[in-house]
Amino acid sequence: MTTPDPTTAPPRASGPRLSVVIPCLSLDEYLEDCVSSLSENDCFPDTEVIVVVDGPQPTGVPAGLAELENVTVIATGARSGSGAATNRGRVEASGQFIARMDADDLSLPGRLDAQLAFLAEHPQVQVCGGGGPLVDDDGREIGHYPAHPQGDARHTLLDRNPVVHSSMVMSAALFDELGGYDPSCIRMQDYELLLRAALRSPIHHFGDLPLVAYRVHGAQTSTRAHGFLRLMRTIHTRRTALARKLGRPRAAQAMSDAVYSAAQAARYAGLRKPRYLMGARGPR
């Protein structure tokens, strides 16, 4: 199935302020918990939630989702990757802002309210996000995403991605201007999108304020990658463009890129844990 280009989506005359797009492979308990966690925001009744099944249309929708009037379930028809699935969800979205959640993560109480309030008070910022605790299958805290100071995270993006994907909220206008996610980036699509977004907007990080709980479990697909060399070339191209904009010397960025590539190669070869899991407790 060809993924619709989000830039062809019709202009929105009116609609909810926020659209949450959740790509998933199945309508499982993780997804139900994810959607339920979004309800712990004052903005939830006026927020649309678009669940995109990356594959065939499911034959049934769990009662917990079906009873929520602001939840829509659609399907791509065939596996296309979470980036392409999110782009498909954007076509259906009518919000001024787009929030993207992984189906196995949890939104912490009030975090969407806080993010929308910040974006309203700082119109020059079109992207925001942050970190939060790491949790296991049962939702028990086992660690914390690496700390980052509150403020603009663009310089940090030159070395690593400090923003948990599920915490990211972006203006729909910027998402469309960027053309959405790069479907060819099966992994690191969040980092690649943020690097492009950083050329046009500050990337506000909420620092110590926890936004989402990142679930760590054995079925995660983010620990595997295909086309690693092509992916690294794409990421390096984006980092180089941002380094040029921010004025980092070419040699310093080249050194950072070399360190990053080595760390990612070791990660995907199974020789080291991802950076965000270094301090996690319990078995991987």
Side-chain angles (χ1 to χ4, degrees), residues 228-247:
F228 177 78
L229 292 179
R230 187 207 60 77
L231 177 61
M232 282 294 95
R233 284 194 296 270
T234 298
I235 295 297
H236 287 169
T237 297
R238 306 303 185 211
R239 284 163 57 119
T240 298
L242 182 58
R244 187 179 303 117
K245 178 179 178 63
L246 298 180

Side-chain angles (χ1 to χ4, degrees), residues 46 93 119 129-130 137 156 172 177 209 213 249 263 284:
D46 298 318
L119 291 167
D137 279 340
T156 302
E177 180 184 344
L209 178 66
R284 175 72 174 88

Side-chain angles (χ1 to χ4, degrees), residues 8 21 35 37 41 65 74 89 109 127 146 200 207 218-219 221 237 270 272 279:
T8 65
V21 179
V35 174
S37 72
N41 286 272
L65 297 179
I74 61 175
V127 190
R200 294 169 169 80
T221 59
T237 297
R272 67 181 288 273

Side-chain angles (χ1 to χ4, degrees), residues 36 71 174 274:
S36 177
V71 175
L174 178 58

Side-chain angles (χ1 to χ4, degrees), residues 36-122:
S36 177
S37 72
L38 293 170
S39 68
E40 297 186 63
N41 286 272
D42 291 340
C43 67
F44 182 74
D46 298 318
T47 295
E48 65 177 3
V49 179
I50 301 171
V51 175
V52 186
V53 179
D54 190 18
Q57 184 73 35
T59 55
V61 177
L65 297 179
E67 65 186 16
L68 295 174
E69 294 183 358
N70 59 339
V71 175
T72 301
V73 178
I74 61 175
T76 60
R79 286 291 297 274
S80 57
S82 63
T86 304
N87 289 347
R88 175 67 181 87
R90 164 62 187 111
V91 174
E92 304 297 325
S94 56
Q96 178 185 357
F97 295 97
I98 305 294
R100 196 269 192 204
M101 283 285 296
D102 280 331
D104 48 1
D105 292 343
L106 301 170
S107 180
L108 298 181
R111 71 95 172 181
L112 291 175
D113 298 326
Q115 289 181 271
L116 288 177
F118 178 88
L119 291 167
E121 294 168 3
H122 303 83

Side-chain angles (χ1 to χ4, degrees), residues 161-183:
N161 181 10
V163 178
V164 177
H165 201 177
S166 288
S167 74
M168 188 167 65
V169 177
M170 179 181 293
S171 75
L174 178 58
F175 189 91
D176 292 345
E177 180 184 344
L178 296 172
Y181 288 90
D182 180 348

